[in-house]
Amino acid sequence: MDVSALVEASDSGWAMIIGTVDSAGQPWAGRAWSVRYEGKGVMRVAIDGQDPAVGDCLADGAYVAVTAADVETLDSIQLKGRSIGVEPAKRADLAGVGRNVERLLGAIEDTDGLSRKIVSRFVPGEYAICRVRCSAVFDQSPGPSAGAALQP
């Protein structure tokens, strides 16, 4: 598994979170909604564009971790790196978000029995992109390989 696995997971309905610390050193986490590979080790991570903490927490240079987990199997992958800024989502970013959200809501409905109508309440109405220069990738799937470094 490598960075391409995270991008593939992002298009497959995996649940994702993004975490960092704010300027005061306090932890911050939010949902991530898709990940696209921009090139040269840079990932485009879709986040809630209306979260007021995003500007401070994901400012240029901030340490960032993005973890994705398959809702059904709990296979997980994590990338770590540094933010190179937050910007408005582009059309291609929004297309990836749309695909992942539909598949994620379906996976939650299938595994947990919660209707899409209920679960869709946590889907944001606006997205921003945190650009992350990836420095490390890890297998976070439950089991003996958890924490194993993968190729970035």
Side-chain angles (χ1 to χ4, degrees):
M1 213 183 289
D2 57 16
V3 168
S4 64
L6 182 59
V7 174
E8 183 179 322
S10 169
D11 215 21
S12 301
W14 286 31
M16 292 177 272
I17 58 170
I18 184 168
T20 188
V21 294
D22 66 17
S23 59
Q26 295 299 305
W28 175 88
R31 290 197 177 274
W33 297 95
S34 75
V35 177
R36 288 187 335 127
Y37 185 66
E38 180 177 304
K40 298 184 180 181
V42 177
M43 310 299 286
R44 298 179 62 79
V45 183
I47 55 176
D48 183 344
Q50 296 174 321
D51 186 332
V54 164
D56 178 44
C57 297
L58 296 173
D60 192 14
Y63 288 100
V64 177
V66 178
T67 305
D70 185 311
V71 173
E72 296 171 350
T73 67
L74 302 183
D75 287 342
S76 305
I77 187 170
Q78 180 181 67
L79 77 80
K80 292 185 178 183
R82 285 193 173 230
S83 171
I84 51 177
V86 176
E87 63 186 42
K90 296 179 179 175
R91 183 174 289 141
D93 299 313
L94 296 174
V97 167
R99 285 189 303 271
N100 191 59
V101 166
E102 278 306 306
R103 291 175 179 146
L104 173 61
L105 296 179
I108 292 171
E109 188 172 49
D110 291 346
T111 58
D112 298 345
L114 296 172
S115 76
R116 285 174 186 252
K117 184 176 180 178
I118 291 172
V119 179
S120 66
R121 290 186 211 164
F122 73 90
V123 177
E126 185 178 312
Y127 299 93
I129 297 298
C130 178
R131 296 177 64 232
V132 179
R133 183 167 311 282
C134 182
S135 59
V137 182
F138 300 92
D139 179 353
Q140 295 295 9
S141 299
S145 67
L150 305 169
Q151 294 296 322

